[in-house]
Amino acid sequence: MSRARPWFAASGFAALALLGCGSGPPAKPMDTGASLGECGDPEAIHSVVITQLAFTQLRADGTIEGFDLDGTDSAPGDPAGCGHGDRSGPEGQTGIDSAFASLVPVLEGLGAGAVEGLIQQAIDSGELLLLIEMSHLDDWAFDTCADVALHRGQGTPIIGTDGTILVDQTFGLSPDVPSTYATGGMVEDGAFEIHNIEITLPVQILDVFLTFTMPAGAIHLDLASDGTVSGFLAGGVPVDQITSQIGGIPDIGDLSSVIPPLIEAAADLYPDPAGACTALSLGFDIAGKPAFIYRETSGTGEPEGR
């Protein structure tokens, strides 16, 4: 299950992923074989700040990192995917939902790709600080019961000579974006994975950040011995959530009438009773470095995490 993965720089149309409406995503609880009371030490915490974020790209062999979000391995023409076939993962996984990966070149050709480096600039400046906090993490190789919290951080990061955020910095928590939590994650062969985690993050279209929420996303992180992580996350963006916000982008011109039909045609998740898919699958590559979280309400005034 472990994957050796590079660190990725932000690229066109970077953003985070989101959930479906209509019939909605299937519940995918992870069978940990342990009750919450058996999840180990809650103080066994490791926190990371996301230092790089990029849209997941198809590999040269046609495979892609990601998840089977709808529990179906759809073939081309299958009504379950509204005619869109699922892809395979680099290790032979089937049913990977990744329709947006094929749509990105089309959008960039229309001039709707993101301004290069805008997401990375937001991360490096502290405008977009994303913190992942794993708890009950007793064993970095194999752990049957680990939990996760996602936070929006605040602070001004220090950038190292490699051009990314330095390790072991302390960040506060933003009061403007609520944290989200999920239980039942697992570590297998040094790879942490969790499903059904709610994420609220910006999506970049043109030079504008739009905000979406992913109530049922999934995350995969490879845990390195130095505390860094690399991996990917994925989810399904509701079509109406995308199209309604695109219409509000100023000075978008003719693209306001061109992009929504492309999104609707590419949707591949959660068909409604009429057979129209209500969400579009997409994923993102991420990398992170160890960080500390400062909580004013912790009682000690000391940084927590790591």
Side-chain angles (χ1 to χ4, degrees):
M1 182 174 178
S2 179
R3 297 175 175 87
R5 297 176 53 81
W7 282 28
F8 295 88
S11 61
F13 230 110
L16 254 219
L18 319 280
L19 117 62
C21 27
S23 59
K28 295 185 67 176
M30 300 195 72
D31 182 9
T32 65
S35 69
L36 293 180
E38 300 170 332
C39 282
D41 183 3
E43 299 302 318
I45 295 172
H46 183 65
S47 301
V48 297
V49 57
I50 298 303
T51 57
Q52 294 171 317
L53 171 70
F55 184 77
T56 302
Q57 303 280 354
L58 287 170
R59 298 186 173 200
D61 60 2
T63 63
I64 193 167
E65 296 278 24
F67 298 94
D68 180 0
L69 298 169
D70 58 3
T72 302
D73 184 9
S74 302
D78 191 335
C82 293
H84 302 286
D86 290 342
R87 296 189 177 272
S88 298
E91 296 181 4
Q93 310 95 319
T94 59
I96 304 298
D97 296 296
S98 58
F100 197 60
S102 299
L103 187 60
V104 169
V106 178
L107 294 170
E108 292 183 335
L110 292 171
V115 176
E116 185 69 25
L118 191 57
I119 286 285
Q120 193 63 49
Q121 292 172 20
I123 291 173
D124 295 341
S125 68
E127 179 185 356
L128 180 58
L129 285 177
L130 314 174
L131 303 168
I132 300 178
E133 183 180 35
M134 293 167 279
S135 60
H136 300 98
L137 195 61
D138 302 294
D139 190 328
W140 280 39
F142 294 93
D143 197 318
T144 60
C145 192
D147 301 337
V148 121
L150 301 182
H151 309 290
R152 183 70 65 85
Q154 62 179 7
T156 302
I158 301 171
I159 305 302
T161 56
D162 64 351
T164 65
I165 296 174
L166 279 175
V167 68
D168 286 344
Q169 295 185 60
T170 299
F171 301 103
L173 300 181
S174 171
D176 301 322
V177 182
S179 300
T180 58
Y181 306 86
T183 60
M186 296 182 68
V187 180
E188 183 179 345
D189 194 21
F192 172 85
E193 195 162 295
I194 196 162
H195 294 259
N196 292 334
I197 176 72
E198 181 179 300
I199 307 168
T200 298
L201 284 171
V203 173
Q204 182 185 338
I205 298 178
L206 298 172
D207 57 352
V208 176
F209 288 115
L210 309 179
T211 301
F212 296 106
T213 298
M214 178 176 60
I219 301 173
H220 174 102
L221 295 175
D222 293 315
L223 310 176
S225 59
D226 62 358
T228 61
V229 301
S230 61
F232 55 92
L233 54 87
V237 183
V239 170
D240 59 355
Q241 204 173 80
I242 300 174
T243 57
S244 63
Q245 294 197 56
I246 286 175
I249 297 177
D251 304 322
I252 193 174
D254 293 340
L255 292 179
S256 63
S257 61
V258 174
I259 296 177
L262 289 174
I263 299 293
E264 293 168 359
D268 63 329
L269 294 175
Y270 320 134
D272 63 18
C277 281
T278 60
L280 178 72
S281 62
L282 73 167
F284 299 88
D285 295 313
I286 56 177
K289 293 182 178 180
F292 293 96
I293 296 174
Y294 176 80
R295 290 179 171 88
E296 293 184 357
T297 58
S298 65
T300 64
E302 296 295 325
E304 298 178 3
R306 196 140 116 95

